[in-house]
Amino acid sequence: MRRPLATAALLLVTAACAPVGARVAPVATETGQAERPAAYLDTETHQRLGQATPLPPEPGSAAERADQVATRAGWVAPGSPRWTLAQNHAEISPALALGHFDCPLGTRLSETPPPALVRLFSRALEDISAAARVAKARIFRPRPFVDDPSVATCIRVDDSYRTNSSAPSSHATAGIVFGLIMADAAPDQADALTYRGRVIGESRLVCGLHYAADVTAGQQLGYELFEAIVATPAYQADIAQARSELAAARQLGHTNPTCAAERLALGLN
C-alpha cells in the first residue's frame, strides 16, 4: 500500500494543477484590458467532441475491475524518478509546458518561450478546457484517492479535485494536443515529441489522480481536438510562425538540465 510523501518538488508544481486545465494568463490589449486567448474551435465543436468522449466503465462491471487493475499497475514508488517526472508534468500552463518537449529538441524553450508556440498552446488550451468541461459534466467519477484514501498523490490536492470528475483526464488531453503541435512544428522529432505528449497523460495515472480509463478517454479527446484544430486557418498561420521560431531556438544549442533525469524515468538511457 502506498503512503503519501511530501516533497519540496510537490509544492513547486501544486499551483499549476487545475483539475480541468490550467488557467491561461490573459493577454493585454491596446486598451489595457485583459482578454483570454481566442480558442481555435467554436462552441458547437467543443460540445460535439466533449459529448463523444468515452464514458468510464459501469460501476461493478468487469470493465471497471479491469480498469482498477490497470490503474494500480501504473502506480510507482513515491520519490522514484518516474514519480518526480509526473510531478513536473502537472504543469501545463503554456509557457512552462513547452519545457516538457525540450529533451528531444535539444532546447530550453521555457527559458525564453517562443511567442508563436506559446500562442498555439494557449489557444489550444482554451479548446481543451472547453471540450473537457462538456465531457466531465456528463458523469461524475470520483478520483482514485477519493475512492481509496490510502492512495498517494504526487501533488497536493484540495477540494476542487474532490468535486471535479476524474473522467476524462484533461491533462491527458492537453498532453496529446501539445505533443502533436510540437511534432507539427518539428517533424524530424515527431515520434519523440508525440511520445512525450502521451507520457504527460500517463503521469496523471502515476500521480494517483485518474483511473487508466480516464487517461485513455482524455487522450482520445486530444486526438479528436487536434484533428479539428489543425484544419483551421488560424492554426495554420500560427504553426507557420512557430516552425521558424523553433528552428531558431534549436540553433542556440541550449539544453535542459533535467533531460538526464527524464531519460532515466522513461527508461531511455
Side-chain angles (χ1 to χ4, degrees):
M1 185 176 293
R2 302 185 303 163
R3 293 288 186 267
L5 180 69
T7 65
L10 180 153
L11 297 176
L12 290 174
V13 299
T14 299
C17 306
V20 176
R23 293 175 176 81
V24 181
V27 177
T29 66
E30 293 181 359
T31 63
Q33 295 179 335
E35 291 183 354
R36 294 185 67 85
Y40 287 112
L41 305 174
D42 56 30
T43 301
E44 181 180 349
T45 305
H46 297 151
Q47 289 284 339
R48 175 175 58 82
L49 296 180
Q51 290 289 345
T53 304
L55 291 170
E58 288 288 335
S61 66
E64 186 191 48
R65 291 191 292 274
D67 187 34
Q68 291 171 343
V69 170
T71 299
R72 288 191 292 271
W75 292 342
V76 302
S80 67
R82 185 65 184 90
W83 174 272
T84 302
L85 181 62
Q87 290 178 314
N88 294 336
H89 282 163
E91 177 63 83
I92 60 169
S93 59
L96 296 177
L98 290 172
H100 300 324
F101 302 94
D102 280 344
C103 300
L105 297 168
T107 58
R108 196 170 184 183
L109 295 175
S110 58
E111 189 174 64
T112 308
L117 278 172
V118 173
R119 184 165 63 250
L120 279 158
F121 275 28
S122 298
R123 297 184 70 176
L125 193 55
E126 291 294 308
D127 293 306
I128 292 161
S129 296
R133 280 193 294 271
V134 173
K136 286 176 177 285
R138 294 179 304 154
I139 189 168
F140 178 78
R141 187 185 199 189
R143 295 170 186 267
F145 68 88
V146 174
D147 284 336
D148 180 358
S150 72
V151 172
T153 60
C154 75
I155 61 169
R156 186 176 58 204
V157 295
D158 56 22
D159 286 344
S160 66
Y161 275 89
R162 300 178 189 280
T163 58
N164 182 268
S165 180
S166 182
S169 166
S170 57
H171 271 68
T173 305
I176 292 298
V177 174
F178 289 172
L180 291 171
I181 288 172
M182 294 303 295
D184 199 7
D188 64 303
Q189 289 295 325
D191 289 346
L193 293 165
T194 54
Y195 171 64
R196 261 57 174 200
R198 291 194 302 274
V199 167
I200 290 172
E202 293 165 4
S203 286
R204 304 304 276 181
L205 179 60
V206 170
C207 275
L209 296 171
H210 293 280
Y211 288 99
D214 307 333
V215 171
T216 300
Q219 290 175 330
Q220 179 172 323
L221 177 58
Y223 288 116
E224 297 291 340
L225 274 170
F226 182 75
E227 185 177 352
I229 289 170
V230 76
T232 65
Y235 172 86
Q236 290 300 324
D238 286 343
I239 195 66
Q241 184 176 349
R243 290 184 186 118
S244 297
E245 289 181 354
L246 184 55
R250 295 175 74 180
Q251 288 296 318
L252 296 175
H254 295 174
T255 57
N256 190 321
T258 67
C259 287
E262 180 185 286
R263 288 193 298 272
L264 177 63
L266 298 178
L268 298 177
N269 287 336

